Amino acid sequence: MTDRLPSHARVVVVGGGIAGCSVAYHLTKLGWRDVLLLERRELSCGTTWHAAGLVGQLRATQNLTRLAKYGADLYERLEAETGQATGFRRPGSVSLARNAERMHELERLASMARCFGVEVEVVTPKELGRRWPLIRTDDLVGGLWLPRDGRTNPIDTTLALAKGARMGGAAIAENTAVTAVHRRGGAVSGVSTTRGDVACEFVVNCAGMWARELGRLAGVAVPLHASEHFYIVTDPMPGVTPDLPVLRDPDGYIYVREEVGGLLMGGFEPRAKPWGMGGIPEDFAFSLLPEDWDHFQVMMEQALIRIPALETAPVRRHVNGPESFTPDGRYYLGEAPECRNFFVAAGFNSVGIASGAGAGKAVAEWIAGGESPMDLWDVDIRRAAAFQTNPRYLHDRTVEMVGRLYAMHWPFQQPATARGMRTSPLHDRVAAAGACFGETLGWERANWYAAPGTAAEYRYSWGRQNWFPRAAEEHRAVREAVGLFDQSSFTKLRLEGPGALEALQWLCANDVDVPVDRIVYTQMLNRHGGIEADVTVTRLAADAFLIVTGAAVATHDTDWIRRNLAHPGAPGAGRAVLTDLTGASAVLGVMGPRSRDLLARLTDAALDNGAFPFLTSREIWLAAAPVRASRITYVGELGWELYVPAEFAAGMYDALVAAGADMGLRHAGYHAMDSLRIEKAYRSWGHDLGSEDTPWQAGLGFAVRLDKPAPFLGRDALRAQRAEPLRRRMSVLVLDDPEPLLYHDEPIWRDGALVGRVTSGAYGHTVGRAIGLGYVECADGVEDAWVDTGRWEVEIACRRVPARAQLAPPYDPKSLRVRG
Ligand SMILES: Cc1cc2nc3c(=O)[nH]c(=O)nc-3n(C[C@H](O)[C@H](O)[C@H](O)COP(=O)(O)OP(=O)(O)OC[C@H]3O[C@@H](n4cnc5c(N)ncnc54)[C@H](O)[C@@H]3O)c2cc1C
């Protein structure tokens, strides 16, 4: 450990838990020597030391799984490299299903695991009993066996990473707390500590449950909250051997593994106990919280059902340790949007040991390379918003998020806590119309509308949920008459100033130098041609543009534009101002073949194709409201998005509803929008599009202008890729059987070979089948003939369902209706 604190380091890593040690280790692997890790007390003293050490590999997405698999591989070889034992072993793991719905979830997971290259086997209760002789199996439906899952000793593994970091040249200073973060010109410039100041170029916030507080010192939002988390350890028990697989019984909220001949049993209870709302005590190191047997009871009861021998096993240790949880259950990685060179790796939601190695590697590469090394959107800190650091919000959500780890992961599941904080100006009106709301980045959004007299509540299942027939009616109304969508949560950004055009021409792959009132659909690309944002740009004036994007990507897309504008020498830099106008206006989507007739009842403006063609926008009067009407659609029909100042929204809404009453006007929600857009194969960023997908691969070449007068970010990469055959390409899969449903991550097979996976799926109510979008791969290039000639199947819960594949949308491929 360092005696004297250096006055300068290139990177300061704050926090000596598994995450911080992993970041330091991986930076040195990349050849960075000038790395200083600062730990308030001693290495691993925060949450890491008391972790149960489960190292599962299967994660929610392909790249997160890749990182977790990397972690297990690293832990396996770390002792040989550093001489410090880790205690890592691979006893495998079993997951149990107590009912058919859970079994279906596990089977879907098994299919997903195959896509992600994780070894997995669906097994019978008998086989589960053979692998885990102490469990009761007569109430089980089946389970999964993952032979490569592991377990490790968290302290030793952290020390091994720290040793490896030191061997690579990093310095580690314990008993050194960071007390301030300094910034210069919007970027990190140094930290103050209890032992003096350190100037630096980068800070990495690996402060675990203190990360919110450390973020605050830098003006960075890191929305996480600690929660109590419990396990017990028994004395040695007969029949418990070191090779017992890790056991997960999610219906009973519990996990179990062998510990020195006894059992370690912990769990994720449905209602958790948030902790530390008023701040984490300064002296909390190698500390635990008081035992709470009453709270633990719900897990203990379930464990006794599963492992009857536990009844008589003496409990040697009760552990109640805090861990940090985030509002959506996923951790945070990456550079904070509020402060350049301030990185975060925190909020691990009880998978920090399994994910710490990969997370540290990703952050180290992100710092060294200046960009995310892969598509990490699911854990990107830029999916959060500043309002989420509100302690009350975090506290209330944390009650729910702990249990969500083992609760059923139903499709379309909405959080039940911390709701109703961020609403559209039309919220009460659409609620009165029967809206059942979902939540996106705090926004309450109408997902579907309940029939009069029925409850606007979800009843979840893997099949057709209770709202399915309602969304089908909404879908049909949009196809046949007219639907009304409240899209107020859209992110609306205004870029204005003498450099605005230049800046946007650089950022957008399409040509935005268009006449005033034209709308341009475009992607913003990174230098590899990967899609960083999928937006519409409306030219408001020679020097002003309205950029519209989704609610979930508000922070991300704003950051992408701002960071590129801030680049010294970037086109337009310093001569354009970006303003977030999201809250200033409501947006109503009026979509469907009768939308023109409906609007005509409320405006004198000409709406015919000559006066108001597709992809144009006009300021018009609609009833008494001043409205920017934009002729654009995400549902594949004639329609307008109406941008109305918030204070005029209710009046305009009332006028539309009254005028549409005899025209079949129907409120429609986001579930209908999803089924409508998928029939039209409209892509969704974060699902079908991301930073590793180029417009060529995504089938969005029509929105790229390689020959526009101004160069744009990513153009060179796109040019180079154009010369190559397209080996990976977005295609549309329509199931032959009208019954099964698609959600996401279902494997796609062609002639018996795995060639891709579904990135988003929905039931197409017009087509009468489930439809999936997904990239498929072929070494010789994905051409029409290859698509047309294959025998296609989509694997759903381990069963392959025949499908038709095509590159064109199944609905209105020539877009005649949109332009009608
Ligand atoms: C009971 C329990 C069981 C668990 N079991 C598992 C499991 O089986 N598998 C799994 O993958 N995960 C498990 N976890 C989760 C896992 O332990 C955590 O996700 C992981 O340890 C988090 O590591 P970290 O480095 O982010 O945080 P920590 O280990 O808390 O490290 C953060 C460090 O930052 C230091 N710090 C904070 N502020 C400052 C400052 N201002 N200056 C300097 N230093 C500072 C702290 O002292 C601390 O040491 C479990 C958690 C609990 C509570």
Side-chain angles (χ1 to χ4, degrees):
M1 308 297 154
T2 52
D3 299 329
R4 250 194 51 242
L5 200 62
S7 60
H8 178 273
R10 188 145 184 226
V11 187
V12 167
V13 180
V14 187
I18 194 145
C21 292
S22 173
V23 170
Y25 170 87
H26 285 97
L27 279 168
T28 63
K29 286 284 163 215
L30 295 171
W32 286 44
R33 305 272 170 263
D34 195 6
V35 176
L36 175 65
L37 186 150
L38 302 177
E39 165 54 48
R40 192 177 57 97
R41 296 287 170 119
E42 289 171 47
L43 295 181
S44 86
C45 73
T47 295
T48 296
W49 71 279
H50 53 59
L54 275 46
V55 184
Q57 298 185 69
L58 188 55
R59 297 280 154 243
T61 67
Q62 187 156 28
N63 282 345
L64 297 188
T65 302
R66 207 180 281 169
L67 292 182
K69 281 178 71 179
Y70 163 80
D73 293 345
L74 175 67
Y75 298 159
E76 198 161 38
R77 61 182 148 82
L78 207 51
E79 177 172 355
E81 181 188 322
T82 63
Q84 162 71 50
T86 58
F88 181 81
R89 291 190 286 117
R90 290 191 195 263
S93 78
V94 291
S95 295
L96 316 182
R98 295 189 185 193
N99 54 59
E101 304 255 61
R102 177 71 72 179
M103 195 61 219
H104 186 85
E105 176 177 283
L106 293 185
E107 285 168 346
R108 279 190 174 262
L109 272 177
S111 291
M112 193 171 100
R114 261 190 275 285
C115 270
F116 298 172
V118 173
E119 270 179 64
V120 62
E121 215 180 294
V122 176
V123 288
T124 59
K126 194 167 163 215
E127 175 66 10
L128 291 166
R130 197 183 67 71
R131 295 200 177 274
W132 240 93
L134 291 180
I135 60 169
R136 184 182 152 191
T137 57
D138 59 343
D139 61 340
L140 295 178
V141 180
L144 294 186
W145 161 237
L146 289 114
R148 301 282 294 159
D149 269 3
R151 50 174 284 194
T152 200
N153 178 323
I155 297 181
D156 290 347
T157 307
T158 303
L159 295 181
L161 287 167
K163 189 168 176 197
R166 261 187 260 112
M167 287 161 64
I172 295 178
E174 294 183 299
N175 297 307
T176 311
V178 171
T179 53
V181 178
H182 305 295
R183 307 167 51 139
R184 197 179 310 121
V188 158
S189 61
V191 296
S192 292
T193 81
T194 44
R195 293 172 59 207
D197 289 355
V198 183
C200 63
E201 289 171 41
F202 297 90
V203 168
V204 193
N205 179 352
C206 300
M209 59 190 163
W210 293 265
R212 175 158 52 105
E213 188 53 30
L214 186 73
R216 208 179 53 78
L217 295 178
V220 166
V222 187
L224 54 79
H225 198 292
S227 171
E228 302 187 21
H229 180 43
F230 305 83
Y231 63 75
I232 55 162
V233 182
T234 71
D235 279 347
M237 291 168 59
V240 176
T241 51
D243 57 347
L244 263 188
V246 168
L247 176 87
R248 292 186 180 84
D249 182 4
D251 298 312
Y253 323 122
I254 56 165
Y255 59 82
V256 189
R257 71 161 172 81
E258 181 271 349
E259 170 82 358
V260 207
L263 292 180
L264 180 156
M265 186 277 286
F268 300 103
E269 66 280 22
R271 280 192 65 78
K273 281 178 77 184
W275 179 76
M277 189 172 165
I280 312 293
E282 165 52 27
D283 58 355
F284 198 86
F286 293 117
S287 307
L288 292 175
L289 301 171
E291 296 180 1
D292 186 344
W293 284 99
D294 285 347
H295 190 82
F296 195 66
Q297 183 71 6
V298 58
M299 290 167 274
M300 196 67 214
E301 277 169 8
Q302 295 295 326
L304 292 176
I305 294 172
R306 186 59 47 222
I307 308 171
L310 265 179
E311 184 89 56
T312 50
V315 174
R316 182 156 51 90
R317 209 150 58 96
H318 184 299
V319 171
N320 176 8
E323 157 70 334
S324 35
F325 289 83
T326 62
D328 62 3
R330 287 176 271 131
Y331 54 91
Y332 295 125
L333 286 191
E335 188 179 10
E338 301 93 337
C339 181
R340 292 286 86 90
N341 294 351
F342 186 93
F343 281 75
V344 181
F348 281 98
N349 293 274
S350 231
V351 295
I353 307 303
S355 307
K361 178 172 188 278
V363 165
E365 289 175 358
W366 203 323
I367 291 170
E371 61 195 359
S372 173
M374 57 173 91
D375 184 349
L376 292 169
W377 168 239
D378 285 274
V379 289
D380 194 318
I381 182 81
R382 291 171 296 173
R383 74 184 189 283
F387 83 87
Q388 292 178 305
T389 52
N390 175 337
R392 171 55 57 190
Y393 166 86
L394 286 170
H395 173 277
D396 292 354
R397 178 58 60 82
T398 301
V399 170
E400 176 181 3
M401 289 321 292
V402 175
R404 284 285 281 270
L405 278 161
Y406 278 10
M408 286 292 298
H409 299 97
W410 298 116
F412 312 105
Q413 190 168 13
Q414 302 299 323
T417 52
R419 294 291 301 269
M421 354 193 351
R422 208 175 177 196
T423 54
S424 140
L426 299 167
H427 182 81
D428 292 349
R429 278 173 162 75
V430 296
C436 182
F437 295 97
E439 191 241 44
T440 298
L441 208 58
W443 283 102
E444 297 292 336
R445 311 197 309 176
N447 275 353
W448 57 280
Y449 288 82
T454 64
E457 283 171 12
Y458 277 93
R459 284 201 296 281
Y460 297 118
S461 73
W462 285 104
R464 286 157 172 72
Q465 299 184 0
N466 61 323
W467 50 266
F468 190 87
R470 297 293 295 171
E473 289 169 18
E474 294 166 21
H475 181 116
R476 278 193 282 277
V478 173
R479 289 276 182 257
E480 292 159 17
V482 54
L484 186 64
F485 295 88
D486 182 2
Q487 297 169 244
S488 302
S489 64
F490 268 169
T491 301
K492 302 142 210 139
L493 306 170
R494 184 183 171 101
L495 187 71
E496 186 163 18
L501 174 63
E502 213 182 314
L504 275 183
Q505 284 291 64
W506 169 244
L507 285 174
C508 298
N510 210 337
D511 190 353
V512 296
D513 190 4
V514 291
V516 169
D517 285 345
R518 280 285 302 179
I519 303 168
V520 179
Y521 171 57
T522 183
Q523 286 72 48
M524 296 184 182
L525 310 179
N526 56 38
R527 68 192 176 98
H528 309 287
I531 300 171
E532 293 284 349
D534 182 56
V535 305
T536 60
V537 174
T538 304
R539 190 160 198 176
L540 303 175
D543 60 353
F545 296 83
L546 173 69
I547 304 163
V548 176
T549 188
V553 293
T555 312
H556 176 275
D557 288 10
T558 308
D559 175 66
W560 185 256
I561 298 168
R562 278 199 207 287
R563 76 169 43 226
N564 282 293
L565 275 180
H567 243 276
R575 292 183 296 120
V577 177
L578 189 72
T579 313
D580 186 347
L581 298 176
T582 299
S585 59
V587 183
L588 279 175
V590 177
M591 299 285 156
R594 302 206 67 188
S595 56
R596 181 181 280 132
D597 300 340
L598 170 57
L599 297 191
R601 289 184 175 182
L602 298 170
T603 186
D604 294 335
L607 300 170
D608 58 283
N609 264 336
F612 209 144
F614 183 55
L615 293 179
T616 56
S617 176
R618 307 248 184 279
E619 285 183 338
I620 63 170
W621 294 107
L622 199 74
V627 170
R628 172 164 285 281
S630 293
R631 192 165 158 201
I632 182 96
T633 178
Y634 195 45
V635 296
E637 297 293 341
L638 173 71
W640 280 264
E641 287 172 1
L642 307 171
Y643 293 76
V644 57
E647 68 273 29
F648 288 95
M652 187 186 82
Y653 169 92
D654 291 344
L656 277 167
V657 170
D662 63 347
M663 300 179 85
L665 176 73
R666 177 113 189 197
H667 285 82
Y670 276 84
H671 290 333
M673 188 180 288
D674 211 34
S675 60
L676 289 157
R677 71 104 183 158
I678 225 145
E679 282 185 335
K680 198 68 182 72
Y682 288 150
R683 280 66 161 151
S684 162
W685 197 90
H687 302 100
D688 315 310
L689 308 176
S691 60
E692 290 183 70
D693 311 311
T694 69
W696 307 142
Q697 296 169 332
L700 298 176
F702 66 88
V704 174
R705 293 286 173 275
L706 280 181
D707 54 355
K708 72 177 177 177
F712 62 88
L713 187 52
R715 187 182 68 175
D716 295 347
L718 287 196
R719 277 209 170 124
Q721 204 182 62
R722 203 162 199 203
E724 305 268 307
L726 265 181
R727 297 189 179 86
R728 181 170 176 273
R729 211 163 158 193
M730 173 66 72
S731 67
V732 185
L733 282 299
V734 183
L735 299 187
D736 287 355
D737 182 348
E739 193 51 33
L741 298 179
L742 292 171
Y743 299 118
H744 56 83
D745 287 313
E746 292 88 355
I748 302 172
W749 298 83
R750 181 185 181 277
D751 292 344
L754 184 63
V755 293
R757 71 185 161 86
V758 169
T759 47
S760 63
Y763 190 83
H765 296 284
T766 310
V767 171
R769 303 276 188 281
I771 302 166
L773 305 184
Y775 292 94
V776 293
E777 292 184 25
C778 172
D780 299 329
V782 177
E783 299 299 339
D784 290 271
W786 182 81
V787 174
D788 292 344
T789 54
R791 182 175 55 82
W792 292 88
E793 293 162 308
V794 181
E795 180 180 324
I796 302 171
C798 300
R799 276 170 281 277
R800 293 199 202 163
V801 180
R804 188 179 78 236
Q806 56 192 66
L807 297 173
Y811 179 77
D812 190 20
K814 295 199 161 37
S815 290
L816 300 177
R817 296 180 69 87
V818 171
R819 293 167 196 279

